[in-house]
Amino acid sequence: MLRIEKLKKVKGNFPVLVGSNIIPKSICKILIEEISNSKSFDDMIMGGRSRINKGSKNFNNYIKQSKISKKLFKLFNSKSFYKKIENIFKKKFKNRSWENSNLPKVFNPKKFTIKKKLNSSELQKLLGNNYSNPKVNLDIDFSVSKGGYRLRPHRDDITRLYNFLIYLTDIPKKNGGSLTIYRKKTKKNIRKSFRRFPKISELEVVKEFTPRQGTVVFFQSTPNSYHGVKRFIEKNCPKRFFIYGSYALNKPVIWKFNDIPYYPHIIKTKKKMLTSFHDANYLTVPVAN
Ligand SMILES: [Fe+2]
């Protein structure tokens, strides 16, 4: 179902793998049909992206009625596939400088990142103080975006190890919606901190991926893995069908760069937000709770 042996290394400042025709077009078409047939979606975010999220009742119903989505979900939601991805990254990025300090030993197929709105102290409580011995799980959503969808440059949740995108539709370049990878314009001392939402003026574009049917992108969710999506213009073109997922820990990842640890600092807020909306900075100083 997935030709992951075709994934290739992308030159950049953090580990990215990409491959075209990783998923056969015939399978993509069925996946689009299945998502289109879904009667309900769990939420809508980022100005036009409707999601069916792992963990919801809706997701369970969707998987029950959608044969190919189920097959794909089962494949990704397994320790063996997670290990496969981990090994591909290890092999392709031998001299990798970013590493996760606490390797997970247990893969929990039932677990998912909760989609509940929390303030920062509730989030802190949920994540605990001890970040060792983490477990890993799959988070995944089946998504369709209409015009207006965009994502400003950011890094993903502090619990994430690997993120992936599976594009199901061809989007012409003029319609936007491309995944853009950024690099922080560096001064020497800048590596002490990696903010979750850097200013656009602090970044420069490394690469853009126009969605192509069957293309898959995997990237390591390192503190500097800045990415975003250019505004999608739905004009004379199909909706942007895609699958988004990640392998995430049940606690924050302590990343190491050339053996220097980076600790996540969650920005305090009383505002209740989804875990994936919370701001956090990676700093070389440990967290004081
Ligand atoms: Fe993201």
Side-chain angles (χ1 to χ4, degrees):
M1 181 175 211
L2 236 77
R3 305 162 179 151
I4 50 168
E5 68 283 353
K6 287 173 69 184
L7 286 170
K8 289 198 178 84
K9 201 171 156 171
V10 173
K11 265 211 171 134
N13 52 329
F14 64 94
V16 182
L17 293 171
V18 65
S20 50
N21 293 315
I22 301 284
I23 299 201
K25 291 197 183 299
S26 54
I27 300 277
C28 291
K29 283 180 188 146
I30 301 172
L31 287 165
I32 291 174
E33 240 176 67
E34 291 183 348
I35 299 173
S36 302
N37 286 340
S38 174
K39 301 252 163 11
S40 55
F41 290 84
D42 290 310
D43 54 6
M44 188 191 267
I45 55 164
M46 312 299 184
R49 166 173 164 195
S50 302
R51 302 192 295 183
I52 306 167
N53 298 318
K54 179 186 176 189
S56 73
K57 255 192 195 159
N58 196 32
F59 182 90
N60 297 339
N61 287 334
Y62 171 74
I63 289 298
K64 256 187 225 156
Q65 334 161 328
S66 314
K67 220 171 122 194
I68 299 297
S69 300
K70 184 179 181 177
K71 217 171 144 188
L72 186 100
F73 170 59
K74 280 199 155 172
L75 174 74
F76 274 85
N77 196 31
S78 66
K79 186 171 186 172
S80 59
F81 195 74
Y82 162 71
K83 280 277 168 203
K84 228 181 220 178
I85 298 303
E86 196 178 57
N87 285 332
I88 296 177
F89 272 92
K90 268 189 195 155
K91 230 170 82 189
K92 302 256 184 193
F93 298 92
K94 272 197 186 119
N95 305 316
R96 67 199 193 286
S97 353
W98 283 108
E99 262 182 308
N100 161 22
S101 310
N102 301 308
L103 285 174
K105 289 189 191 80
V106 179
F107 180 93
N108 190 344
K110 294 222 165 85
K111 177 93 178 29
F112 53 89
T113 301
I114 57 154
K115 298 287 187 297
K116 212 173 118 188
K117 289 186 177 175
L118 306 167
N119 63 33
S120 61
S121 63
E122 288 164 335
L123 176 64
Q124 195 83 61
K125 212 180 262 171
L126 181 84
L127 297 172
N129 290 323
N130 181 350
Y131 297 166
S132 57
N133 292 318
K135 289 178 187 162
V136 63
N137 71 266
L138 170 77
D139 282 319
I140 192 168
D141 62 69
F142 292 82
S143 280
V144 54
S145 293
K146 56 177 189 168
Y149 170 63
R150 63 185 276 265
L151 272 178
R152 66 174 159 143
H154 66 283
R155 177 212 335 118
D156 279 355
D157 248 2
I158 51 176
T159 52
R160 291 181 173 178
L161 293 174
Y162 300 103
N163 302 311
F164 59 86
L165 285 139
I166 302 172
Y167 293 112
L168 303 176
T169 19
D170 281 328
I171 303 293
K173 215 172 172 189
K174 63 172 173 29
N175 293 75
S178 57
L179 172 73
T180 311
I181 293 203
Y182 299 88
R183 182 204 326 261
K184 206 168 159 182
K185 295 177 193 163
T186 47
K187 280 188 217 129
K188 267 182 196 148
N189 61 356
I190 223 151
R191 288 215 161 145
K192 282 191 178 149
S193 115
F194 289 100
R195 297 162 57 175
R196 175 135 193 225
F197 301 105
K199 284 188 204 133
I200 190 96
S201 58
E202 293 176 77
L203 303 171
E204 57 192 13
V205 173
V206 173
K207 211 173 166 71
E208 263 187 63
F209 300 99
T210 304
R212 286 268 159 265
Q213 191 167 57
T215 291
V216 176
V217 182
F218 275 94
F219 62 96
Q220 215 167 359
S221 202
T222 58
N224 63 338
S225 59
Y226 297 122
H227 62 280
V229 178
K230 294 245 164 98
R231 183 181 290 278
F232 170 47
I233 304 153
E234 192 188 332
K235 200 178 167 193
N236 304 324
C237 98
K239 286 198 161 52
R240 191 180 185 274
F241 284 89
F242 63 109
I243 298 166
Y244 178 73
S246 61
Y247 287 108
L249 299 184
N250 58 340
K251 3 184 130 172
V253 183
I254 314 271
W255 288 99
K256 273 197 291 194
F257 183 80
N258 290 340
D259 284 328
I260 300 165
Y262 282 79
Y263 304 93
H265 291 247
I266 297 166
I267 308 294
K268 289 202 165 56
T269 178
K270 290 211 167 79
K271 202 175 155 193
K272 286 186 184 266
M273 297 185 279
L274 289 173
T275 59
S276 59
F277 282 62
H278 275 273
D279 196 359
N281 296 334
Y282 265 101
L283 307 175
T284 49
V285 284
V287 198
N289 283 313

